[in-house]
């Protein structure tokens, strides 16, 4: 949920995906990249990584980032625990009534053998978002682990999105908000598309917030967006 505090805006972005798809690794790599080099966002404080074997009862990670161009804009970034038994916890992170998610990044484990698990994770997300994906909640997709062999074809995953009604044709005004699909690698040594995908998600989140009043803005509504440097 968009929170306002002392003139600052806090937007909530969630990395969603099956267990082991790379969400925690992505968040750690994003943190390192934005800490070590000059980017449009910087991390504030440390990441909170709560792993299963830590004995903690809460299984999620979170981090806070700040826009360096719009210093009043902050991003509260979460990952969910992907394992099947953690659905109630995911609901708590994603759809808590007083703290709804503003944007989602779906992280897919690209290995072909996990296609069905990925689809199940997407179905759960759809169910929790109650028809608000894309039209109210901007969505980005990462086909992660592209460094591995035997991986899902990008076009095939696009078909999954089409089947799930998460892909609009050019005649639809939501067409411009179709999820961008990034082919990523989260491992820090060979990281790929980690910063770029987050940046695009953050950009969309701000546009939905500023121009759409919490909904996908039309092209006309954002036409003069060039004057706003996000
Ligand atoms: N080869 C490869 N391994 C990855 C990549 N991203 C994550 N991993 C590995 O996948 C495993 C699960 O990653 P993790 O971030 O814990 O997944 P999470 O459950 O989604 O948070 C770890 O061993 C990571 O090192 C990637 O892009 N390529
Ligand atoms: Mg994790």
């Amino acid at each position: 949920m968009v929170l306002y505090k002392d003139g600052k805006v806090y937007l909530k972005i969630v990395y969603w995906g099956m267990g082991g798809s790379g969400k925690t690794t992505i968040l750690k790599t994003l943190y390192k990249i934005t800490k070590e080099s000059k980017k449009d966002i910087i991390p504030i404080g440390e990441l909170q990584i709560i792993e299963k074997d830590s004995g903690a009862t809460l299984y999620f990670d979170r981090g806070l980032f700040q826009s360096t161009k719009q210093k009043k804009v902050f991003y509260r970034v979460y990952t969910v625990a992907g394992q099947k038994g953690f659905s109630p916890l995911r609901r708590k992170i994603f759809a808590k009534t007083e703290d709804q998610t503003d944007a989602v990044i779906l992280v897919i484990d690209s290995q072909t053998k996990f296609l069905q698990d990925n689809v199940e994770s997407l179905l759960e997300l759809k169910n929790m978002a109650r028809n608000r994906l894309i039209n109210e909640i901007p969505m980005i997709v990462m086909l992660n682990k592209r460094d591995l062999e035997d991986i899902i074809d990008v076009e095939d995953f696009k078909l999954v999105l089409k089947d799930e009604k998460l892909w609009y044709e050019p005649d639809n005004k939501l067409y411009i908000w179709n999820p961008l699909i990034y082919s990523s690698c989260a491992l820090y040594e060979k990281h790929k598309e980690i910063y770029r995908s987050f940046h695009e998600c953050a950009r969309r989140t701000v546009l939905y917030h500023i121009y759409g009043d919490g909904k996908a803005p039309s092209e006309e509504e954002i036409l003069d967006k060039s004057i706003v440097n996000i």
Side-chain angles (χ1 to χ4, degrees), residues 16 19 37 50 59 69 71 129 152 169 181 183 185 189 214:
W16 181 282
S37 50
I50 307 178
Y59 305 147
K69 290 187 173 167
K71 290 208 165 52
I152 300 165
E169 297 304 322
I181 303 175
S183 294
C185 175
E189 316 79 60

Side-chain angles (χ1 to χ4, degrees), residues 76 84 90 106 109 119 123 142 174 182 216:
R76 298 156 57 224
K84 293 208 166 91
R90 283 194 287 281
L106 176 65
D109 187 324
V119 171
L123 292 179
M142 297 172 79
L174 288 175
Y182 291 89

Side-chain angles (χ1 to χ4, degrees), residues 67-88:
S67 164
T68 54
K69 290 187 173 167
Q70 296 275 309
K71 290 208 165 52
K72 67 177 177 39
V73 177
F74 291 79
Y75 302 102
R76 298 156 57 224
V77 183
Y78 288 78
T79 78
V80 296
Q83 286 74 7
K84 293 208 166 91
F86 287 107
S87 184

